[in-house]
Structures are given as C-alpha cells and as structure tokens.
C-alpha cells in the first residue's frame, strides 16, 4: 500500500502534495513546475533530473499524474532535464529563495 504522500511505485514524495507546513520560503529555495508535451498536455510519470551549474546530477523525481514536480535546492543556476516516453526537454533556471515556478516542454526526438 502506498502512503498518500508517496508516489505509487516510487519512494519519492507525491510531487503534487502541498508544501510541508514547516517550509520557510524566506530561507529555502523550491523549484516546482509541470512537464508538458508539444500539445500542452501534462506528462505524468516523466523523470525530471536536477543538474547543478557544472552539469552534475544532483537529484531526480518522477512527475505526478498531472505532470507536476518539485525540488528543494540552493539558490543559483540549475538545469532541469525531463525524460519521458513523450520526449525530452531541458530548461535552465536561475533559482532564488522562495518558490520558482517553471514549465518544461518535452519533444520527441
């Protein structure tokens, strides 16, 4: 049985759940967003990777059925890489403290 805060088949927290009550957005950096296909439809089950400024892998999450993902990171430049059956896409984000909302479009190769 899967906890309501854990994505089915994955140990990652449910990406569409609200931010935990203890998150202080004055001190923390959250990168959150949605993965869409070329038609603008959300892509659930996509893998989203967080790469640091030098391109090194830092973390990975699976999008919710609604295509939503979330990372807690340090302020700075990050690359988000979405990998899915619908295609792949990259996005560079200059994240600041607080919530940084983005959208990643994936395109079939």
């Amino acid at each position: 049985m899967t906890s309501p805060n854990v994505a089915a088949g994955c140990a990652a927290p449910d990406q569409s759940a609200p931010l935990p009550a203890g998150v202080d957005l004055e001190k923390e950096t959250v990168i959150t967003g949605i993965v869409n296909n070329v038609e603008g439809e959300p892509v659930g089950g996509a893998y989203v990777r967080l790469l640091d400024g030098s391109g090194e892998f830092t973390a990975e999450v699976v999008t919710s059925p609604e295509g939503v993902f979330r990372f807690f990171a340090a302020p700075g430049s990050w690359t988000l890489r979405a990998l899915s059956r619908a295609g792949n896409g990259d996005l560079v984000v200059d994240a600041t403290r607080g919530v940084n909302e983005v959208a990643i479009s994936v395109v079939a190769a």
Side-chain angles (χ1 to χ4, degrees):
M1 179 171 173
T2 303
S3 152
N5 291 331
V6 176
C10 177
D14 179 0
Q15 298 300 299
S16 59
L19 284 174
V23 173
D24 182 352
L25 294 176
E26 298 279 325
K27 298 179 182 176
E28 298 192 52
T29 301
V30 180
I31 302 171
T32 186
I34 188 166
V35 175
N36 292 310
N37 63 20
V38 293
E39 289 84 26
E41 300 164 334
V43 179
Y47 292 89
V48 181
R49 294 180 178 167
L50 181 68
L51 308 173
D52 69 15
S54 68
E56 290 295 316
F57 174 87
T58 302
E60 181 176 81
V61 295
V62 178
T63 61
S64 71
E66 298 80 22
V68 176
F69 65 91
R70 178 185 309 143
F71 291 103
F72 290 87
S77 182
W78 297 93
T79 297
L80 298 169
R81 178 164 295 148
L83 308 167
S84 73
R85 290 185 177 152
N88 303 327
D90 285 1
L91 179 70
V92 175
V93 177
D94 289 319
T96 58
R97 286 194 175 95
V99 176
N100 298 263
E101 294 186 23
V102 299
I104 305 173
S105 295
V106 294
V107 179

